[in-house]
Amino acid sequence: MAEIGTDIRKATELLTNGSLVAIPTETVYGLAANALDENAVAKIFEAKNRPSFDPLIVHLPSEKSLSSLAQNIPDAFYKLYEALSPGPITYILQKTDAIPDLVTAGNPTVGIRFPKHSLTQKLLEICNLPLAAPSANPFGYISPTSAQHVQNQLGKKITYILDGGSCTVGLESTIIDLSKGAPTILRLGGMDILEIENALNKKITRIKTSSSNPKAPGMLSSHYAPRIPLFYGDIKKHLDLWKGKSIGIITFCKRVSTASEAQQFILSPTRNLNEAASQLFAVMRQLDTSNADVILAEEFPDEGLGKAINDRLKRAAFKP
Ligand code: TXA
Ligand code: MG
């Protein structure tokens, strides 16, 4: 099993030597390697069982280290960076030759993120390497929001997990493509689109999150999925269908009164969508490893982080 600790020097040594280290961020835990070392990056794909056509996000401490990695950077980037970074937003920019093709899956663009987690910010400063890091879960499964989640699934494949506690945002970053023309949202996530619109001082009209483009599996319709079937939407209908089975229920702020026997998880009794988002993946995992036969999840309000919660639940939902 991997060692879990808070030793930044040890993490730096491992990363410098081409090994993998799991790192905490405000969104989800990442599985990091030196982005400039193709052999190290290859280990990420192997450990996650991730297809090599799925590009990785590169993590930096600040935009000071950006100039050698990205080029033709538009003004919109600087506006968003000033207002929203560090934070749960990833910028797709035109890449330079310094970034290996394996990182970007051959794309001429690279995803760049400035995570807002003090331990990882310190690590990025001290190791002085851009870190390529996807979410630290086996490909297709729910993203980890604690060190223990990483240990449970990838503990045999890595040696060190940097423990930064539970992720405060709990959903992956919002991805915005700034590499061509008008900004386009590629993935809904932890940064509310309204904040992005405020920072740019204009509405974003192009949202392409349900792409069937095989180059972007995070945008594939089936992803983030538990092992047991999850049904999203009409809880009452499914309660009848699954009568007699062990049922897990995920709701926003209220219990389902007609399901007294079910294991019920209310993500935010005080109706706070940010709190609900931070709990979602941990609850999905807990139910997935419980004795439940099925998970029923309701639709969340279509505003703020509720949009990203609904997006993840839709992708996690059972597809016959
Ligand atoms: O919050 C996050 O973004 C977390 C933490 C660890 O930073 N990372 C994360 O990485 O969610 P991952 O690999 O699980 O999801 C990254 C998504 C993938 O869907 C990938 O296709 C997309 O970002 N992506 C990366 N580079 C891209 C590029 N150049 N063009 C288009 N999409 C890209
Ligand atoms: Mg992922």
Side-chain angles (χ1 to χ4, degrees), residues 51 53-54 137-142 209-214 216-230 284 311-320:
F53 57 75
D54 190 6
N137 51 281
F139 183 69
Y141 194 64
I142 306 161
T209 61
S210 59
S211 163
S212 57
N213 175 3
M219 296 153 228
L220 285 184
S221 65
S222 186
H223 214 67
Y224 313 102
R227 292 191 182 83
I228 60 174
L230 180 148
M284 279 166 69
D311 172 82
R312 297 303 187 272
L313 286 171
K314 249 178 245 166
R315 288 168 209 265
F318 178 71
K319 314 247 174 3

Side-chain angles (χ1 to χ4, degrees), residues 27 50 54-55 57 59 109 113 134-135 172-173 175 187 216 218:
T27 58
R50 179 177 175 118
D54 190 6
I57 294 172
H59 298 70
T109 56
R113 186 162 109 73
S135 52
E172 301 84 353
S173 60
I175 302 181
R187 177 174 75 181

Side-chain angles (χ1 to χ4, degrees), residues 3 5 28 38 45 48 54 67 109 118 126 128 140 160 187 217 234 247 249:
E3 185 187 339
V28 300
E38 210 147 5
F45 287 92
K48 275 191 61 118
D54 190 6
S67 57
T109 56
S118 58
I126 290 174
N128 197 23
Y160 199 63
R187 177 174 75 181
D234 190 345
I247 297 173
I249 291 182

